[in-house]
Amino acid sequence: MPNHEHIVKSYDSELDRLYGEITRMGEIATAQLDAAIDVMIRRDTKAAERVVANDDAIDALEHEVSHDVLRLLALRQPMARDLREVYAALRISADIERIGDYAANVAKRSMVLNQSTPVAAAHGLPALAKTANLLVRDALLAFRTRDDKLAIEVWNRDAEVDAQYTGLFRELLTYMMEDPRNITSCAHLLFMAKNIERIGDHATNIAENTYFLVHGEQPLGSREKRDTTAE
Amino acid sequence: MPNHEHIVKSYDSELDRLYGEITRMGEIATAQLDAAIDVMIRRDTKAAERVVANDDAIDALEHEVSHDVLRLLALRQPMARDLREVYAALRISADIERIGDYAANVAKRSMVLNQSTPVAAAHGLPALAKTANLLVRDALLAFRTRDDKLAIEVWNRDAEVDAQYTGLFRELLTYMMEDPRNITSCAHLLFMAKNIERIGDHATNIAENTYFLVHGEQPLGSREKRDTTAE
């Protein structure tokens, strides 16, 4: 049935296009977090503005993904695993979009930091961002390769991000207590740290959706939240 | 064609079920934010624990909505406006789920506040929550009644939430500077205020998705972010 084959081929190429968009989104989002930390360290406000502006590229890609998903659903009417593929793509693109937002917010707040004298308290942020970004990259790899084992590993490793965040939260409070002149900068650093901790949560969401895609069910119930600063 | 009518009727009843779930989610989420502020004011840790636990009901409903959406897509294969209805339901349920998370986080952080002496700085939170929750209720009303004008109004009114948040952010910093003993409590209050500001953002998301549902396109491009504390 050459006709049917043609339809199948075209469906596959539409799915490929969708995955291509998601891969590109993921590459931009992780590069954005690296760039946000870089411009913060270099106290480069001009470069920070570029990071903030770059977020539009991720938002535009998410719109493309949503659009493609709606078209695929309407024209191809996928079922079972095919439907889960499309559904997971939609959810994962929303998570990457949020990761991009958080990265842009880190860059935006770095511009506020540049208006005051440098605070030593900023030193803990790069390490936290590194851990979180590695988690995002592994989550995206798990999705791309449909690797349910890696997805579970990512899901568990988010605890590292949370532990690092909790340490940084406490440290930032001590800087604030030591010198009231640090308070405004440290308040922004608190939010920057929280943004990065949330990026870790979105990595686990990507891992959960990857697991769901492969198995058709959620892994082990929702992981308990590990932001112990609110406990 | 009684058979066709039967299918249509059954489809409508499935959609009704979906909307019923979303309405229930919205009612619980807005009640949760009211309750979170109430337990914070009363410094009632036991009641705060109940608010945190109640969030499970919202999460369970979101799972039901996702499940129902997948089934509707697979079995009914809706097109055009019908497809947008289902798509909007999925997006809006995700927004309500996030609103529930933020409300639960406000309750969770209120328990940390209860471990220290009361700080006057907490007084600005109820007013912010009231503005945000009214916005959510109107966004849900706009969705329920497919009221695109109200959706646009909600979308514009989020600026009020943002302005109130910015004032509170600055006020909290002055409390921290006045007395270092306020710092830990005020750091949690900063996050609580930010949670509520984010609830306003999700109200605008619901409004955007409602507009998209009615018109098949996004309103006027994305509204610029108005958290001016990061500028």
Side-chain angles (χ1 to χ4, degrees):
Chain A
M1 291 192 299
N3 212 19
H4 178 253
E5 199 175 286
H6 174 75
I7 288 171
V8 170
K9 233 185 204 158
S10 161
Y11 179 69
D12 281 349
S13 80
E14 282 180 59
L15 268 188
D16 282 347
R17 184 187 139 91
L18 198 60
Y19 297 144
E21 285 163 351
I22 289 176
T23 300
R24 212 151 68 245
M25 278 183 84
E27 282 165 358
I28 302 175
T30 48
Q32 283 279 93
L33 179 57
D34 285 338
I37 294 296
D38 180 59
V39 300
M40 182 200 78
I41 293 171
R42 293 192 291 107
R43 296 174 64 82
D44 185 337
T45 296
K46 277 260 170 269
E49 279 168 6
R50 283 197 296 273
V51 174
V52 173
N54 278 348
D55 188 44
D56 286 349
I58 302 176
D59 293 348
L61 277 167
E62 198 213 0
H63 270 111
E64 271 183 54
V65 169
S66 294
H67 186 262
D68 289 352
V69 163
L70 282 184
R71 210 191 38 216
L72 264 172
L73 290 173
L75 300 182
R76 305 294 174 178
Q77 303 169 338
M79 308 272 278
R81 164 96 188 215
D82 286 343
L83 181 57
R84 291 207 306 276
E85 292 269 352
V86 173
Y87 178 76
L90 187 68
R91 300 283 293 224
I92 288 172
S93 71
D95 280 306
I96 301 174
E97 192 268 335
R98 292 298 302 140
I99 291 170
D101 281 350
Y102 286 120
N105 195 264
V106 168
K108 204 170 174 187
R109 288 189 189 272
S110 80
M111 295 192 254
V112 191
L113 296 184
N114 296 346
Q115 291 163 19
S116 313
T117 50
V119 284
H123 77 96
L125 226 50
L128 179 65
K130 201 176 166 186
T131 310
N133 227 3
L134 191 59
L135 204 65
V136 175
R137 289 194 168 101
D138 283 347
L140 292 169
L141 178 63
F143 169 61
R144 225 165 35 240
T145 58
R146 307 292 185 270
D147 185 340
D148 58 335
K149 282 198 186 64
L150 182 57
I152 292 281
E153 190 203 304
V154 165
W155 200 66
N156 286 316
R157 262 170 46 205
D158 185 41
E160 293 171 27
V161 178
D162 293 339
Q164 250 178 290
Y165 164 75
T166 302
L168 191 53
F169 175 86
R170 290 175 192 278
E171 192 186 341
L172 287 168
L173 293 191
T174 65
Y175 277 103
M176 288 171 136
M177 289 168 193
E178 265 170 36
D179 188 346
R181 285 170 301 179
N182 290 333
I183 283 174
T184 303
S185 290
C186 285
H188 288 291
L189 284 166
L190 278 177
F191 281 121
M192 291 160 88
K194 186 70 191 172
N195 283 337
I196 298 170
E197 186 267 339
R198 293 289 298 135
I199 286 176
D201 290 342
H202 286 283
T204 66
N205 288 352
I206 294 171
E208 278 184 17
N209 279 304
T210 298
Y211 189 96
F212 173 75
L213 192 171
V214 176
H215 293 281
E217 57 188 32
Q218 299 293 330
L220 319 167
S222 258
R223 193 180 62 80
E224 74 278 23
K225 294 288 191 295
R226 288 199 190 82
D227 172 0
T228 52
T229 63
E231 282 170 6
Chain B
M1 291 193 297
N3 211 19
H4 178 252
E5 200 175 286
H6 174 73
I7 288 172
V8 170
K9 234 186 204 157
S10 162
Y11 179 69
D12 282 348
S13 80
E14 282 180 60
L15 268 187
D16 282 348
R17 183 186 139 91
L18 198 60
Y19 297 142
E21 284 163 352
I22 289 176
T23 300
R24 212 151 67 246
M25 277 184 85
E27 282 164 359
I28 301 174
T30 48
Q32 283 279 93
L33 180 56
D34 286 338
I37 294 297
D38 180 60
V39 300
M40 182 200 76
I41 294 170
R42 293 192 291 106
R43 296 175 64 83
D44 185 337
T45 296
K46 277 260 171 269
E49 279 167 7
R50 284 197 297 274
V51 174
V52 173
N54 278 349
D55 188 44
D56 286 349
I58 301 178
D59 293 347
L61 277 167
E62 198 213 359
H63 270 111
E64 270 183 56
V65 168
S66 294
H67 186 262
D68 288 353
V69 163
L70 281 184
R71 209 189 43 215
L72 264 171
L73 290 173
L75 300 182
R76 303 296 174 178
Q77 304 170 338
M79 308 274 279
R81 164 96 188 214
D82 285 343
L83 181 58
R84 290 207 305 275
E85 293 269 352
V86 172
Y87 177 76
L90 187 68
R91 300 283 292 224
I92 288 171
S93 71
D95 280 307
I96 301 173
E97 191 270 334
R98 292 299 301 141
I99 291 170
D101 281 350
Y102 286 121
N105 194 264
V106 169
K108 204 171 175 188
R109 288 188 189 273
S110 80
M111 294 192 255
V112 190
L113 296 184
N114 296 346
Q115 292 164 18
S116 314
T117 49
V119 284
H123 78 96
L125 227 51
L128 180 65
K130 200 175 166 187
T131 310
N133 226 4
L134 191 60
L135 205 64
V136 175
R137 288 194 167 101
D138 283 348
L140 292 169
L141 178 63
F143 169 62
R144 222 164 40 239
T145 58
R146 307 292 185 268
D147 184 340
D148 58 336
K149 282 198 186 63
L150 182 56
I152 292 281
E153 189 204 304
V154 165
W155 200 65
N156 286 316
R157 262 170 48 206
D158 185 40
E160 292 172 29
V161 178
D162 293 338
Q164 249 179 293
Y165 164 75
T166 301
L168 192 52
F169 175 85
R170 290 175 190 279
E171 192 186 341
L172 287 168
L173 294 191
T174 65
Y175 278 102
M176 288 171 135
M177 288 167 193
E178 265 169 37
D179 188 345
R181 286 170 300 179
N182 290 334
I183 284 175
T184 302
S185 289
C186 285
H188 288 290
L189 284 165
L190 278 177
F191 281 122
M192 292 160 88
K194 185 70 191 172
N195 284 336
I196 298 169
E197 186 267 338
R198 294 288 299 136
I199 286 176
D201 290 341
H202 285 284
T204 67
N205 288 352
I206 294 170
E208 279 184 15
N209 279 303
T210 298
Y211 189 96
F212 173 76
L213 192 170
V214 175
H215 293 281
E217 56 188 32
Q218 299 293 330
L220 316 169
S222 258
R223 192 180 63 77
E224 74 278 22
K225 294 287 190 295
R226 288 200 189 82
D227 172 0
T228 53
T229 63
E231 282 170 6

